[in-house]
Amino acid sequence: MLHFRTVKLGTKSLLLHPMRSLLTVLGIFIGVASVIWLLAIGEGISKEAQRQIEDLGAENIIIRSIQPPDESGGNFRQITAFGVTRNESKLINDTISTVKRVLPIRELKQKFAYTGNPNVKPIDGRLVGCTSDYAEVTRLEIDRGHFLTTREVELNRPVCVIAARLADKLFPSEDPLNKQIYLPEKKELFKIVGVLKHRNATAAIGGSLAAQDFSLDIYIPVTTMRARMTDQESKRSGGSFSTKLFELSQITVQVKSADDVPRTAELVEATLRQNDPNRQDISVVVPYELLEQAKTTRLMFMMFMGLIAAISLIVGGIGIMNIMLATVTERTREIGIRRALGGKQRDIVLQFLVETITLSIVGGITGILMGLLCPVTVDVSRWGLEYFAPQLYASLPEVARVMRPTIVPISIPVAFGISVVVGVFFGLYPAVRAAQLDPIEALRHE
């Protein structure tokens, strides 16, 4: 049975060497804190990745048009037709029973200008032709005005909805609602009927989907884009002339139930590749499958991060063993006196174990407190970096700027339990070695 006197003696021995005890505690402290920090950061990154995939819609199937590589060999004139077509969009909607709706989307790089303020230069952005359902499917939120209505799409109205950042750039001191956006390259005017709330950019998802930046977008009815702009884009470079011919940049197929997504994706791909099984001008992305992969990757990532953190604890345990072995050598005469006065080997073992477990518990508790400060510390560090080094902050990946560490509840008891086990495991050998010292030899030790 562990007597209070043994605990008191062990604690007193530690307090006699405060600096050495503090350095020993530091190893466990770093190990426990690193377990909680690494798992929290890993969970935060994983949640952000899953959120971005979920933003694509677990019930959606995305078909992107891909321009094939230039194989003209420098020909003077080249016409390249590629991508998903309007007829294919209609075919999928009409023939696959599990499809709820199909959203045709066409994207063009354009310059945007506001003629009411000549001091503001034209800004490069993206013109997106879409339907009234686009905002709901892509989770865009309106700040002022309204998104494109079904009637505006049906009547080919020259109206648009503008992204928040683009609105700030083109209209720094005016309300953009009911103003007109001018497209210099197309010589077209569009009336602004809505302004969106800010939307974070999405990171590229493996090789499946490129990063999406919504901050410089303008949305117009896809029918208006078709009526006012051709399906071809011509480009002259040096002595060559090339023309791209494509109808849609993307179609988003929304499925009635998430359970039907895998089977529907197979039907969609079979429909698109029925005439050419090796078709290379489209890419089919299934967020549902990506989400399942992300969850599996999360578990593997958490195990890997936990392993790295556990190594830190083992290093801390080795530090405890090293210090305790040195302590045994220093206190050899003390051990001999205790044994000569009737102290049993068990008492010696318990005293040294009390010391190592005390060091582990103190290191574990302080490590947990530091670990719980992870979200606050990351936020403060990110704020300081943004304030004092804005260029460096801007160069960080998007996930590093928006990710928030999430404490994994199980990491706290696990880290603390491992720290105590490490203390017992690495403290047992020095304790047994001390107990096995010959009392006579110990008394002769100088």
Side-chain angles (χ1 to χ4, degrees):
M1 184 176 178
L2 187 63
H3 295 286
F4 175 73
R5 181 181 297 176
T6 304
V7 176
K8 186 177 178 181
L9 282 172
T11 306
K12 185 177 180 180
S13 297
L14 294 176
L15 294 176
L16 289 174
H17 302 90
M19 181 57 69
R20 184 168 65 188
S21 299
L22 181 63
L23 292 175
T24 308
V25 165
L26 188 62
I28 298 296
F29 164 81
I30 292 173
V32 171
S34 65
V35 168
I36 299 173
W37 271 63
L38 288 175
L39 292 180
I41 292 172
E43 181 73 358
I45 293 173
S46 176
K47 281 192 172 183
E48 179 61 23
Q50 290 183 50
R51 182 195 66 77
Q52 292 186 355
I53 296 173
E54 287 171 352
D55 282 347
L56 298 175
E59 297 176 352
N60 296 340
I61 300 168
I62 299 170
I63 298 97
R64 293 285 298 179
S65 295
I66 300 175
Q67 183 178 356
D70 183 8
E71 298 178 354
S72 63
N75 291 342
F76 175 76
R77 183 177 180 86
Q78 181 192 15
I79 299 177
T80 305
F82 65 92
V84 66
T85 65
R86 299 183 187 93
N87 286 337
E88 289 173 328
S89 172
K90 187 175 185 302
L91 181 63
I92 291 171
N93 189 55
D94 294 343
T95 59
I96 302 178
S97 60
T98 52
V99 170
K100 181 179 179 180
R101 57 186 168 186
V102 177
L103 279 67
I105 301 161
R106 180 174 167 83
E107 301 166 355
L108 298 173
K109 292 182 179 180
Q110 290 290 308
K111 288 186 178 294
F112 303 124
Y114 172 48
T115 55
N117 188 350
N119 294 324
V120 179
K121 295 181 179 179
I123 296 173
D124 291 320
R126 184 173 65 169
L127 185 67
V128 180
C130 57
T131 62
S132 57
D133 298 323
Y134 184 85
E136 177 189 347
V137 172
T138 56
R139 303 185 184 184
L140 297 175
E141 296 182 15
I142 284 288
D143 183 37
R144 286 164 285 170
H146 65 268
F147 198 73
L148 304 174
T149 64
T150 303
R151 186 163 181 80
E152 288 169 340
V153 174
E154 290 175 349
L155 297 178
N156 307 348
R157 292 280 176 80
V159 295
C160 70
V161 177
I162 185 171
R165 184 180 171 194
L166 187 60
D168 292 339
K169 286 179 172 289
L170 290 176
F171 304 91
S173 58
E174 297 180 61
D175 185 354
L177 278 182
N178 299 318
K179 300 291 192 305
Q180 287 191 316
I181 288 285
Y182 179 61
L183 277 60
E185 296 173 355
K186 301 294 183 182
K187 296 182 172 53
E188 296 283 353
L189 286 168
F190 292 90
K191 179 183 176 182
I192 300 173
V193 295
V195 180
L196 296 170
K197 291 182 179 179
H198 174 70
R199 166 77 183 272
N200 288 329
T202 61
I205 301 173
S208 304
L209 199 65
Q212 294 271 359
D213 185 1
F214 303 91
S215 61
L216 298 176
D217 284 356
I218 287 182
Y219 304 90
I220 66 173
V222 68
T223 51
T224 306
M225 180 179 279
R226 182 180 184 183
R228 297 192 173 210
M229 303 172 194
T230 64
D231 291 338
Q232 66 180 35
E233 289 184 358
S234 299
K235 181 180 180 182
R236 187 181 296 276
S237 178
S240 64
F241 181 80
S242 62
T243 299
K244 291 193 304 183
L245 182 63
F246 71 102
E247 296 182 13
L248 298 173
S249 305
Q250 172 182 315
I251 60 172
T252 299
V253 179
Q254 193 169 41
V255 183
K256 294 176 182 178
S257 170
D259 295 334
D260 294 327
V261 167
R263 182 165 62 92
T264 306
E266 292 177 2
L267 292 173
V268 167
E269 192 151 9
T271 301
L272 294 173
R273 299 186 188 276
Q274 57 184 341
N275 296 325
D276 181 6
N278 299 316
R279 188 176 178 181
Q280 300 294 318
D281 63 339
I282 59 169
S283 171
V284 180
V285 180
V286 185
Y288 178 84
E289 293 178 354
L290 294 175
L291 193 58
E292 293 302 311
Q293 291 173 11
K295 290 177 180 178
T296 304
T297 304
R298 169 185 173 271
L299 294 176
M300 295 176 61
F301 187 67
M302 297 288 282
M303 291 177 61
F304 180 70
M305 298 290 271
L307 180 62
I308 293 175
I311 292 172
S312 300
L313 274 173
I314 292 173
V315 172
I318 293 172
I320 286 180
M321 178 183 283
N322 187 41
I323 291 297
M324 295 311 297
L325 286 172
T327 302
V328 169
T329 303
E330 289 179 359
R331 295 163 60 185
T332 299
R333 188 172 180 80
E334 174 196 330
I335 294 168
I337 293 173
R338 289 195 65 191
R339 291 295 309 280
L341 293 175
K344 299 179 180 179
Q345 287 187 352
R346 182 184 61 187
D347 297 326
I348 305 299
V349 170
L350 286 177
Q351 180 181 343
F352 279 87
L353 276 181
V354 163
E355 294 181 23
T356 58
I357 292 172
T358 300
L359 291 172
S360 298
I361 290 175
V362 172
I365 292 173
T366 53
I368 287 172
L369 294 176
M370 185 61 192
L372 294 175
L373 292 175
C374 177
V376 177
T377 306
V378 169
D379 286 343
V380 171
S381 301
R382 203 152 42 196
W383 173 84
L385 191 63
E386 184 180 11
Y387 185 80
F388 294 105
Q391 292 183 341
L392 179 60
Y393 177 79
S395 67
L396 291 176
E398 180 69 19
V399 67
R401 285 181 275 142
V402 301
M403 178 276 300
R404 181 170 175 79
T406 303
I407 301 296
V408 180
I410 193 64
S411 67
I412 296 173
V414 166
F416 184 75
I418 291 175
S419 71
V420 174
V421 170
V422 164
V424 173
F425 180 79
F426 286 98
L428 191 60
Y429 173 70
V432 171
R433 182 177 174 181
Q436 291 178 344
L437 285 175
D438 183 86
I440 297 175
E441 293 296 328
L443 288 171
R444 291 175 178 175
H445 184 80
E446 292 296 335

Short mmCIF file of all heavy atoms in Angstrom, two decimals, residues 254-305:
data_model
loop_
_atom_site.label_atom_id
_atom_site.label_comp_id
_atom_site.label_asym_id
_atom_site.label_seq_id
_atom_site.Cartn_x
_atom_site.Cartn_y
_atom_site.Cartn_z
N GLN A 254 -27.86 17.20 -60.41
CA GLN A 254 -28.30 16.99 -59.03
C GLN A 254 -29.18 15.75 -58.97
O GLN A 254 -30.17 15.62 -59.69
CB GLN A 254 -29.08 18.21 -58.52
CG GLN A 254 -29.28 18.19 -57.01
CD GLN A 254 -29.79 19.52 -56.47
OE1 GLN A 254 -30.64 20.13 -57.08
NE2 GLN A 254 -29.27 19.95 -55.33
N VAL A 255 -28.81 14.82 -58.10
CA VAL A 255 -29.49 13.53 -57.98
C VAL A 255 -30.54 13.63 -56.87
O VAL A 255 -30.37 14.36 -55.89
CB VAL A 255 -28.47 12.41 -57.68
CG1 VAL A 255 -29.14 11.04 -57.62
CG2 VAL A 255 -27.38 12.42 -58.75
N LYS A 256 -31.61 12.87 -57.02
CA LYS A 256 -32.71 12.93 -56.05
C LYS A 256 -32.30 12.48 -54.66
O LYS A 256 -32.77 13.01 -53.66
CB LYS A 256 -33.89 12.09 -56.57
CG LYS A 256 -34.54 12.63 -57.84
CD LYS A 256 -35.62 11.70 -58.34
CE LYS A 256 -36.23 12.23 -59.65
NZ LYS A 256 -37.26 11.31 -60.19
N SER A 257 -31.44 11.49 -54.57
CA SER A 257 -30.99 10.97 -53.28
C SER A 257 -29.50 10.67 -53.33
O SER A 257 -28.99 10.20 -54.35
CB SER A 257 -31.77 9.69 -52.93
OG SER A 257 -31.20 9.05 -51.80
N ALA A 258 -28.81 10.95 -52.22
CA ALA A 258 -27.36 10.70 -52.17
C ALA A 258 -27.05 9.22 -52.36
O ALA A 258 -25.99 8.87 -52.88
CB ALA A 258 -26.79 11.18 -50.84
N ASP A 259 -27.98 8.34 -51.97
CA ASP A 259 -27.76 6.90 -52.13
C ASP A 259 -27.70 6.51 -53.61
O ASP A 259 -27.11 5.48 -53.96
CB ASP A 259 -28.88 6.12 -51.45
CG ASP A 259 -28.87 6.31 -49.93
OD1 ASP A 259 -27.78 6.60 -49.40
OD2 ASP A 259 -29.93 6.18 -49.30
N ASP A 260 -28.33 7.33 -54.47
CA ASP A 260 -28.36 7.01 -55.90
C ASP A 260 -27.17 7.60 -56.67
O ASP A 260 -27.06 7.38 -57.88
CB ASP A 260 -29.66 7.55 -56.53
CG ASP A 260 -30.90 6.85 -55.99
OD1 ASP A 260 -30.78 5.65 -55.68
OD2 ASP A 260 -31.95 7.49 -55.87
N VAL A 261 -26.32 8.36 -55.97
CA VAL A 261 -25.24 9.06 -56.66
C VAL A 261 -24.28 8.11 -57.39
O VAL A 261 -23.99 8.32 -58.58
CB VAL A 261 -24.47 9.98 -55.68
CG1 VAL A 261 -23.17 10.47 -56.30
CG2 VAL A 261 -25.33 11.17 -55.31
N PRO A 262 -23.74 7.06 -56.75
CA PRO A 262 -22.78 6.19 -57.47
C PRO A 262 -23.38 5.58 -58.74
O PRO A 262 -22.72 5.58 -59.79
CB PRO A 262 -22.44 5.12 -56.42
CG PRO A 262 -22.70 5.76 -55.10
CD PRO A 262 -23.88 6.65 -55.33
N ARG A 263 -24.60 5.06 -58.64
CA ARG A 263 -25.22 4.43 -59.81
C ARG A 263 -25.53 5.46 -60.89
O ARG A 263 -25.31 5.22 -62.08
CB ARG A 263 -26.52 3.73 -59.38
CG ARG A 263 -27.23 2.99 -60.51
CD ARG A 263 -28.26 2.04 -59.94
NE ARG A 263 -29.28 2.77 -59.19
CZ ARG A 263 -30.42 3.21 -59.73
NH1 ARG A 263 -30.66 2.99 -61.01
NH2 ARG A 263 -31.31 3.84 -59.00
N THR A 264 -26.00 6.65 -60.47
CA THR A 264 -26.30 7.71 -61.44
C THR A 264 -25.03 8.19 -62.13
O THR A 264 -25.03 8.47 -63.34
CB THR A 264 -26.99 8.90 -60.75
OG1 THR A 264 -28.14 8.43 -60.04
CG2 THR A 264 -27.43 9.95 -61.76
N ALA A 265 -23.93 8.28 -61.39
CA ALA A 265 -22.66 8.72 -61.97
C ALA A 265 -22.22 7.76 -63.07
O ALA A 265 -21.71 8.19 -64.12
CB ALA A 265 -21.58 8.81 -60.89
N GLU A 266 -22.42 6.46 -62.85
CA GLU A 266 -22.07 5.48 -63.87
C GLU A 266 -22.93 5.66 -65.13
O GLU A 266 -22.42 5.60 -66.25
CB GLU A 266 -22.26 4.07 -63.31
CG GLU A 266 -21.27 3.70 -62.22
CD GLU A 266 -21.53 2.31 -61.66
OE1 GLU A 266 -22.47 1.64 -62.15
OE2 GLU A 266 -20.81 1.90 -60.73
N LEU A 267 -24.24 5.93 -64.94
CA LEU A 267 -25.13 6.14 -66.07
C LEU A 267 -24.78 7.41 -66.84
O LEU A 267 -24.81 7.44 -68.07
CB LEU A 267 -26.59 6.20 -65.59
CG LEU A 267 -27.18 4.90 -65.03
CD1 LEU A 267 -28.56 5.14 -64.43
CD2 LEU A 267 -27.25 3.84 -66.13
N VAL A 268 -24.45 8.48 -66.09
CA VAL A 268 -24.07 9.75 -66.72
C VAL A 268 -22.81 9.57 -67.56
O VAL A 268 -22.74 10.02 -68.71
CB VAL A 268 -23.85 10.84 -65.64
CG1 VAL A 268 -23.16 12.05 -66.25
CG2 VAL A 268 -25.18 11.26 -65.02
N GLU A 269 -21.81 8.90 -66.98
CA GLU A 269 -20.55 8.71 -67.71
C GLU A 269 -20.76 7.83 -68.94
O GLU A 269 -20.19 8.07 -70.00
CB GLU A 269 -19.50 8.12 -66.79
CG GLU A 269 -18.10 8.14 -67.36
CD GLU A 269 -17.03 8.24 -66.29
OE1 GLU A 269 -17.34 8.12 -65.10
OE2 GLU A 269 -15.85 8.45 -66.67
N ALA A 270 -21.61 6.79 -68.80
CA ALA A 270 -21.90 5.92 -69.94
C ALA A 270 -22.61 6.68 -71.05
O ALA A 270 -22.34 6.48 -72.24
CB ALA A 270 -22.75 4.73 -69.48
N THR A 271 -23.50 7.60 -70.66
CA THR A 271 -24.22 8.41 -71.64
C THR A 271 -23.28 9.33 -72.40
O THR A 271 -23.37 9.47 -73.63
CB THR A 271 -25.31 9.26 -70.93
OG1 THR A 271 -26.23 8.39 -70.26
CG2 THR A 271 -26.08 10.11 -71.94
N LEU A 272 -22.34 9.93 -71.68
CA LEU A 272 -21.41 10.88 -72.31
C LEU A 272 -20.36 10.17 -73.17
O LEU A 272 -19.82 10.77 -74.10
CB LEU A 272 -20.72 11.71 -71.23
CG LEU A 272 -21.62 12.65 -70.43
CD1 LEU A 272 -20.86 13.28 -69.28
CD2 LEU A 272 -22.21 13.75 -71.33
N ARG A 273 -20.08 8.92 -72.85
CA ARG A 273 -19.01 8.21 -73.57
C ARG A 273 -19.56 7.11 -74.50
O ARG A 273 -18.80 6.26 -74.95
CB ARG A 273 -18.04 7.58 -72.56
CG ARG A 273 -17.35 8.58 -71.65
CD ARG A 273 -16.31 7.90 -70.77
NE ARG A 273 -15.77 8.81 -69.77
CZ ARG A 273 -14.78 9.67 -69.97
NH1 ARG A 273 -14.22 9.75 -71.17
NH2 ARG A 273 -14.34 10.46 -69.00
N GLN A 274 -20.85 7.15 -74.76
CA GLN A 274 -21.43 6.08 -75.57
C GLN A 274 -20.87 6.05 -77.00
O GLN A 274 -20.74 4.98 -77.61
CB GLN A 274 -22.96 6.21 -75.62
CG GLN A 274 -23.47 7.54 -76.15
CD GLN A 274 -24.99 7.63 -76.06
OE1 GLN A 274 -25.67 6.61 -75.95
NE2 GLN A 274 -25.52 8.84 -76.12
N ASN A 275 -20.51 7.21 -77.55
CA ASN A 275 -19.96 7.25 -78.90
C ASN A 275 -18.44 7.16 -78.92
O ASN A 275 -17.84 6.85 -79.96
CB ASN A 275 -20.40 8.52 -79.62
CG ASN A 275 -21.91 8.56 -79.83
OD1 ASN A 275 -22.53 7.53 -80.07
ND2 ASN A 275 -22.50 9.75 -79.72
N ASP A 276 -17.82 7.48 -77.77
CA ASP A 276 -16.36 7.46 -77.70
C ASP A 276 -15.94 7.06 -76.29
O ASP A 276 -15.85 7.92 -75.39
CB ASP A 276 -15.78 8.83 -78.06
CG ASP A 276 -14.26 8.84 -78.03
OD1 ASP A 276 -13.65 7.76 -77.85
OD2 ASP A 276 -13.67 9.93 -78.20
N PRO A 277 -15.70 5.79 -76.04
CA PRO A 277 -15.32 5.33 -74.69
C PRO A 277 -14.05 5.99 -74.16
O PRO A 277 -13.86 6.08 -72.94
CB PRO A 277 -15.12 3.82 -74.86
CG PRO A 277 -15.88 3.48 -76.11
CD PRO A 277 -15.77 4.68 -76.99
N ASN A 278 -13.17 6.45 -75.05
CA ASN A 278 -11.90 7.06 -74.63
C ASN A 278 -11.94 8.58 -74.69
O ASN A 278 -10.91 9.23 -74.83
CB ASN A 278 -10.76 6.54 -75.52
CG ASN A 278 -10.60 5.04 -75.40
OD1 ASN A 278 -10.64 4.50 -74.29
ND2 ASN A 278 -10.42 4.36 -76.52
N ARG A 279 -13.10 9.13 -74.60
CA ARG A 279 -13.27 10.58 -74.69
C ARG A 279 -12.43 11.29 -73.63
O ARG A 279 -12.48 10.95 -72.45
CB ARG A 279 -14.75 10.91 -74.50
CG ARG A 279 -15.10 12.35 -74.75
CD ARG A 279 -16.61 12.55 -74.63
NE ARG A 279 -16.98 13.94 -74.83
CZ ARG A 279 -18.23 14.38 -74.76
NH1 ARG A 279 -19.23 13.52 -74.51
NH2 ARG A 279 -18.50 15.66 -74.95
N GLN A 280 -11.66 12.32 -74.05
CA GLN A 280 -10.73 13.00 -73.16
C GLN A 280 -11.10 14.45 -72.88
O GLN A 280 -10.38 15.13 -72.14
CB GLN A 280 -9.32 12.97 -73.78
CG GLN A 280 -8.78 11.57 -74.01
CD GLN A 280 -8.55 10.82 -72.72
OE1 GLN A 280 -8.05 11.37 -71.74
NE2 GLN A 280 -8.94 9.55 -72.70
N ASP A 281 -12.22 14.93 -73.44
CA ASP A 281 -12.54 16.36 -73.30
C ASP A 281 -13.54 16.63 -72.18
O ASP A 281 -14.09 17.73 -72.09
CB ASP A 281 -13.08 16.92 -74.62
CG ASP A 281 -14.39 16.27 -75.04
OD1 ASP A 281 -14.67 15.15 -74.57
OD2 ASP A 281 -15.13 16.88 -75.83
N ILE A 282 -13.78 15.65 -71.31
CA ILE A 282 -14.66 15.86 -70.16
C ILE A 282 -14.04 15.22 -68.93
O ILE A 282 -13.20 14.32 -69.03
CB ILE A 282 -16.08 15.27 -70.38
CG1 ILE A 282 -15.99 13.76 -70.66
CG2 ILE A 282 -16.83 16.00 -71.48
CD1 ILE A 282 -17.32 13.05 -70.62
N SER A 283 -14.43 15.71 -67.77
CA SER A 283 -14.00 15.14 -66.50
C SER A 283 -15.22 15.02 -65.61
O SER A 283 -15.93 16.01 -65.39
CB SER A 283 -12.95 16.02 -65.84
OG SER A 283 -12.66 15.58 -64.53
N VAL A 284 -15.48 13.82 -65.10
CA VAL A 284 -16.64 13.58 -64.23
C VAL A 284 -16.15 13.55 -62.78
O VAL A 284 -15.31 12.73 -62.41
CB VAL A 284 -17.35 12.26 -64.60
CG1 VAL A 284 -18.55 12.03 -63.67
CG2 VAL A 284 -17.79 12.28 -66.06
N VAL A 285 -16.68 14.46 -61.98
CA VAL A 285 -16.29 14.57 -60.56
C VAL A 285 -17.51 14.23 -59.71
O VAL A 285 -18.58 14.81 -59.89
CB VAL A 285 -15.78 15.98 -60.22
CG1 VAL A 285 -15.38 16.06 -58.75
CG2 VAL A 285 -14.61 16.36 -61.12
N VAL A 286 -17.32 13.31 -58.77
CA VAL A 286 -18.42 12.90 -57.88
C VAL A 286 -18.04 13.29 -56.45
O VAL A 286 -17.26 12.58 -55.80
CB VAL A 286 -18.68 11.38 -57.97
CG1 VAL A 286 -19.90 11.00 -57.13
CG2 VAL A 286 -18.87 10.96 -59.42
N PRO A 287 -18.55 14.42 -55.93
CA PRO A 287 -18.21 14.85 -54.57
C PRO A 287 -18.52 13.81 -53.50
O PRO A 287 -17.81 13.72 -52.50
CB PRO A 287 -19.06 16.11 -54.38
CG PRO A 287 -19.28 16.62 -55.76
CD PRO A 287 -19.38 15.40 -56.62
N TYR A 288 -19.57 13.02 -53.71
CA TYR A 288 -19.94 11.97 -52.74
C TYR A 288 -18.78 10.99 -52.54
O TYR A 288 -18.42 10.64 -51.42
CB TYR A 288 -21.19 11.23 -53.24
CG TYR A 288 -21.65 10.10 -52.35
CD1 TYR A 288 -22.46 10.33 -51.24
CD2 TYR A 288 -21.27 8.78 -52.63
CE1 TYR A 288 -22.88 9.28 -50.43
CE2 TYR A 288 -21.69 7.73 -51.83
CZ TYR A 288 -22.49 7.98 -50.73
OH TYR A 288 -22.90 6.95 -49.92
N GLU A 289 -18.17 10.57 -53.65
CA GLU A 289 -17.04 9.64 -53.57
C GLU A 289 -15.83 10.33 -52.97
O GLU A 289 -15.08 9.73 -52.18
CB GLU A 289 -16.72 9.11 -54.96
CG GLU A 289 -17.81 8.22 -55.55
CD GLU A 289 -17.48 7.74 -56.95
OE1 GLU A 289 -16.46 8.19 -57.50
OE2 GLU A 289 -18.25 6.91 -57.49
N LEU A 290 -15.62 11.60 -53.33
CA LEU A 290 -14.49 12.35 -52.77
C LEU A 290 -14.65 12.50 -51.26
O LEU A 290 -13.67 12.45 -50.51
CB LEU A 290 -14.40 13.73 -53.42
CG LEU A 290 -14.05 13.78 -54.91
CD1 LEU A 290 -14.11 15.22 -55.41
CD2 LEU A 290 -12.66 13.20 -55.15
N LEU A 291 -15.90 12.69 -50.80
CA LEU A 291 -16.17 12.85 -49.38
C LEU A 291 -15.86 11.56 -48.63
O LEU A 291 -15.26 11.58 -47.54
CB LEU A 291 -17.64 13.24 -49.17
CG LEU A 291 -18.04 13.74 -47.78
CD1 LEU A 291 -17.22 14.96 -47.40
CD2 LEU A 291 -19.52 14.06 -47.74
N GLU A 292 -16.24 10.43 -49.19
CA GLU A 292 -15.93 9.15 -48.56
C GLU A 292 -14.42 8.93 -48.50
O GLU A 292 -13.89 8.44 -47.50
CB GLU A 292 -16.61 8.01 -49.35
CG GLU A 292 -18.13 8.01 -49.28
CD GLU A 292 -18.64 7.92 -47.86
OE1 GLU A 292 -18.19 7.03 -47.13
OE2 GLU A 292 -19.50 8.75 -47.48
N GLN A 293 -13.73 9.30 -49.57
CA GLN A 293 -12.27 9.18 -49.59
C GLN A 293 -11.64 10.09 -48.55
O GLN A 293 -10.67 9.72 -47.88
CB GLN A 293 -11.73 9.52 -50.98
CG GLN A 293 -12.10 8.50 -52.06
CD GLN A 293 -11.68 8.97 -53.44
OE1 GLN A 293 -10.95 9.94 -53.58
NE2 GLN A 293 -12.15 8.27 -54.46
N ALA A 294 -12.21 11.30 -48.41
CA ALA A 294 -11.68 12.26 -47.44
C ALA A 294 -11.83 11.74 -46.01
O ALA A 294 -10.95 11.94 -45.17
CB ALA A 294 -12.39 13.60 -47.59
N LYS A 295 -12.94 11.07 -45.73
CA LYS A 295 -13.14 10.53 -44.39
C LYS A 295 -12.14 9.42 -44.09
O LYS A 295 -11.61 9.33 -42.98
CB LYS A 295 -14.57 10.00 -44.26
CG LYS A 295 -15.63 11.10 -44.25
CD LYS A 295 -17.03 10.53 -44.19
CE LYS A 295 -18.07 11.66 -44.18
NZ LYS A 295 -19.46 11.12 -44.17
N THR A 296 -11.87 8.57 -45.09
CA THR A 296 -10.87 7.51 -44.91
C THR A 296 -9.48 8.10 -44.73
O THR A 296 -8.71 7.68 -43.86
CB THR A 296 -10.87 6.57 -46.13
OG1 THR A 296 -12.18 6.05 -46.32
CG2 THR A 296 -9.89 5.43 -45.94
N THR A 297 -9.17 9.12 -45.55
CA THR A 297 -7.87 9.79 -45.44
C THR A 297 -7.71 10.44 -44.08
O THR A 297 -6.63 10.46 -43.51
CB THR A 297 -7.73 10.84 -46.56
OG1 THR A 297 -7.92 10.21 -47.83
CG2 THR A 297 -6.36 11.49 -46.51
N ARG A 298 -8.81 10.98 -43.54
CA ARG A 298 -8.78 11.64 -42.23
C ARG A 298 -8.32 10.66 -41.16
O ARG A 298 -7.47 10.99 -40.33
CB ARG A 298 -10.16 12.18 -41.89
CG ARG A 298 -10.32 12.64 -40.45
CD ARG A 298 -11.76 13.05 -40.16
NE ARG A 298 -11.93 13.33 -38.76
CZ ARG A 298 -12.27 12.43 -37.83
NH1 ARG A 298 -12.44 11.16 -38.20
NH2 ARG A 298 -12.41 12.77 -36.58
N LEU A 299 -8.87 9.45 -41.16
CA LEU A 299 -8.48 8.46 -40.16
C LEU A 299 -7.00 8.12 -40.27
O LEU A 299 -6.29 8.04 -39.26
CB LEU A 299 -9.34 7.20 -40.31
CG LEU A 299 -10.83 7.36 -40.01
CD1 LEU A 299 -11.56 6.05 -40.31
CD2 LEU A 299 -11.04 7.78 -38.56
N MET A 300 -6.53 7.94 -41.50
CA MET A 300 -5.12 7.62 -41.70
C MET A 300 -4.24 8.79 -41.26
O MET A 300 -3.19 8.60 -40.63
CB MET A 300 -4.87 7.29 -43.18
CG MET A 300 -5.59 6.04 -43.65
SD MET A 300 -5.37 5.75 -45.42
CE MET A 300 -3.59 5.56 -45.52
N PHE A 301 -4.67 10.00 -41.58
CA PHE A 301 -3.92 11.20 -41.23
C PHE A 301 -3.84 11.36 -39.72
O PHE A 301 -2.78 11.68 -39.17
CB PHE A 301 -4.59 12.42 -41.88
CG PHE A 301 -3.83 13.70 -41.73
CD1 PHE A 301 -2.61 13.87 -42.35
CD2 PHE A 301 -4.34 14.75 -40.97
CE1 PHE A 301 -1.90 15.05 -42.23
CE2 PHE A 301 -3.64 15.93 -40.84
CZ PHE A 301 -2.42 16.09 -41.46
N MET A 302 -4.98 11.11 -39.03
CA MET A 302 -5.00 11.24 -37.58
C MET A 302 -4.08 10.21 -36.92
O MET A 302 -3.38 10.51 -35.96
CB MET A 302 -6.44 11.06 -37.08
CG MET A 302 -7.41 12.11 -37.60
SD MET A 302 -7.15 13.72 -36.86
CE MET A 302 -7.91 13.49 -35.29
N MET A 303 -4.08 8.99 -37.45
CA MET A 303 -3.20 7.96 -36.91
C MET A 303 -1.73 8.35 -37.10
O MET A 303 -0.91 8.17 -36.19
CB MET A 303 -3.49 6.62 -37.60
CG MET A 303 -4.83 6.01 -37.23
SD MET A 303 -5.17 4.49 -38.13
CE MET A 303 -3.82 3.45 -37.59
N PHE A 304 -1.42 8.90 -38.27
CA PHE A 304 -0.05 9.31 -38.55
C PHE A 304 0.39 10.45 -37.63
O PHE A 304 1.48 10.42 -37.06
CB PHE A 304 0.06 9.74 -40.01
CG PHE A 304 1.43 10.18 -40.43
CD1 PHE A 304 2.47 9.27 -40.53
CD2 PHE A 304 1.68 11.52 -40.70
CE1 PHE A 304 3.74 9.68 -40.91
CE2 PHE A 304 2.95 11.94 -41.07
CZ PHE A 304 3.98 11.01 -41.18
N MET A 305 -0.50 11.45 -37.46
CA MET A 305 -0.17 12.58 -36.59
C MET A 305 -0.03 12.11 -35.14
O MET A 305 0.84 12.58 -34.40
CB MET A 305 -1.27 13.65 -36.70
CG MET A 305 -1.43 14.26 -38.08
SD MET A 305 -0.05 15.32 -38.55
CE MET A 305 -0.59 16.88 -37.91
#
